[in-house]
Amino acid sequence: MLCLLAAAAFYMTNLRASAATEVAETVHPKATEKLAATSYFLPTLTPNPNYTPPVFETSTPFVLENGPRPTIIGYSLAGRPIEVYTFGVGEREYLIVAGIHGGYEWNTIALANELITHINEHPEAVATDATLYIIRNMNPDGEARAIGVDGRVNNNGVDLNRNFPSDNWVADWDRDGCWIYRPTTGGLYAGSEPETRSVMGFIKAHKIEALISYHSAALGVFPGGVPWEEPSKRLAKALANATKYAYPPIDTGCEYTGTLADWAVENGVGATVDMELRNHRDTDFDENLKALKVFLSFIP
Ligand SMILES: [Zn+2]
C-alpha cells in the first residue's frame, strides 16, 4: 500500500512538473539573441547574416580611384546614399553641396566629381589648417529620375532648396519670377525630407566657416541670410570675382524661401552662398577651381 502511494505521489509530481515546464515554455519564449553593438562594424571573413546591402541605382556612378572613401551621412527617400568626401584635417571647416536640384542641375554633380578627383590628385589645394567637405549629390533620386526639369525635386515632389527650416520657410510661394516648369512644394513641414535632414545633421555636427551650395544656371551668386548677411555678401563678391558669375545676382522677382544657404547662416555657418553655373551643361571647372582657392582662404 505504501509502495502504491509513493508511486502515485511520484507520478503526480512528474505530471505537475511537466505541465509546469510546458506552461513555462509557452509563456516565456526564448530570449532574443543580442549581438554586441560593435560586431556590426567589424570586418568579417564570412558574410555577416545581419547585413542587408542597400539596393540603389545612380545614373552617374562615381568611384574615386586611389582616394578616400566617402562617408554616408544619410539616405534619400529611395534609399540612395548621400555621400560626403573629406579632404584635409585642419580646424577651419568648409562645405560644398552639389546636386540639391538633382538631374535638373546635374552639371553641379559633374563639377563636384571633377573637384573631388582634382583635390585627390592635388591634396595641397587644401591648406594644412583647413578641412573641405564635398557633398557631391544631395538629391540622388532626382538625378536618377531624369536629366532635365523632371529631375529637380525629390521623390516626394519637394524642392529641397525650399525645405530647410529657415525663418522664412513656407510650403507654397508666389510663383512670379520663380521656377514654374513642374508642380513642387516646400514640403509638408520645414525639414520634412530625409535629404534635408541628412545635410542639417551634418552641418550641426561641424563648425563650418563657409558654404557653397551649387546650382545652375546663369543667375549669379546669391549671399545667404534674409536680408543678405555681410560675411555672405563678402564671400559672394569674392567668388563672383574669381568666376565672373554675376554679382549682385540677377533679380527675376522670385522670393526664395527655406533655402539651405539661409538656414545655414541662421544656424552657425559663418558665410554661405547659392552659386549658379553658367548653363545646364558645362561644369565651368577652371573658374570653379579659382573659386575654390578663394573659398578655402575665406575667413567670415
Ligand atoms: Zn538650383
Side-chain angles (χ1 to χ4, degrees):
M1 188 63 195
L2 260 176
C3 264
L4 271 177
L5 272 175
F10 182 66
Y11 179 70
M12 295 296 286
T13 318
N14 260 4
L15 263 187
R16 247 180 266 129
S18 63
T21 315
E22 255 169 55
V23 170
E25 271 175 7
T26 7
V27 175
H28 304 290
K30 198 170 154 251
T32 314
E33 259 184 67
K34 277 186 184 157
L35 296 175
T38 48
S39 67
Y40 291 101
F41 302 104
L42 290 173
T44 50
L45 294 175
T46 48
N48 182 341
N50 297 297
Y51 176 69
T52 317
V55 178
F56 57 86
E57 299 160 26
T58 44
S59 46
T60 54
F62 175 73
V63 176
L64 182 62
E65 303 288 348
N66 306 313
R69 304 285 303 155
T71 305
I72 294 174
I73 59 165
Y75 293 88
S76 68
L77 279 164
R80 295 185 173 92
I82 297 170
E83 301 168 332
V84 58
Y85 282 81
T86 304
F87 298 99
V89 292
E91 66 174 29
R92 290 186 293 119
E93 299 175 85
Y94 295 84
L95 173 61
I96 288 174
V97 178
I100 193 169
H101 282 144
Y104 182 60
E105 299 174 3
W106 66 273
N107 55 336
T108 66
I109 302 164
L111 170 63
N113 295 346
E114 287 180 2
L115 289 174
I116 289 165
T117 306
H118 175 87
I119 298 162
N120 187 49
E121 286 162 8
H122 302 91
E124 71 281 0
V126 180
T128 51
D129 65 341
T131 300
L132 172 64
Y133 305 106
I134 300 181
I135 297 175
R136 55 173 289 272
N137 185 0
M138 184 182 158
N139 182 5
D141 294 351
E143 189 214 15
R145 187 185 317 114
I147 298 301
V149 288
D150 288 316
R152 181 179 172 100
V153 296
N154 80 343
N155 273 9
N156 280 337
V158 174
D159 183 331
L160 294 177
N161 202 37
R162 288 185 178 272
N163 186 239
F164 281 82
S166 62
D167 293 343
N168 68 357
W169 176 86
V170 287
D172 206 358
W173 57 94
D174 182 351
R175 306 296 160 125
D176 281 356
C178 298
W179 192 87
I180 49 162
Y181 303 112
R182 291 290 183 274
T184 179
T185 80
L188 267 183
Y189 54 90
S192 59
E193 304 309 299
E195 296 89 350
T196 310
R197 288 199 300 272
S198 303
V199 172
M200 287 170 62
F202 182 82
I203 289 174
K204 290 252 180 187
H206 293 85
K207 195 194 166 300
I208 306 289
E209 302 281 338
L211 176 156
I212 297 175
S213 175
Y214 271 111
H215 291 261
S216 59
L219 295 179
V221 193
F222 294 82
V226 186
W228 295 342
E229 291 196 359
E230 279 309 318
S232 297
K233 285 205 276 196
R234 201 151 43 76
L235 176 61
K237 272 180 220 169
L239 293 174
N241 195 37
T243 54
K244 309 301 173 211
Y245 294 151
Y247 186 86
I250 296 161
D251 184 0
T252 61
C254 180
E255 192 199 337
Y256 300 101
T257 53
T259 70
L260 163 59
D262 289 348
W263 176 84
V265 274
E266 289 167 11
N267 287 273
V269 176
T272 68
V273 296
D274 272 318
M275 184 146 90
E276 301 216 324
L277 306 184
R278 206 155 269 128
N279 55 42
H280 285 306
R281 298 179 315 274
D282 302 318
T283 60
D284 304 347
F285 178 71
D286 292 336
E287 292 94 322
N288 283 289
L289 199 54
K290 283 182 207 152
L292 181 70
K293 204 169 178 184
V294 170
F295 180 57
L296 290 176
S297 58
F298 184 83
I299 308 288

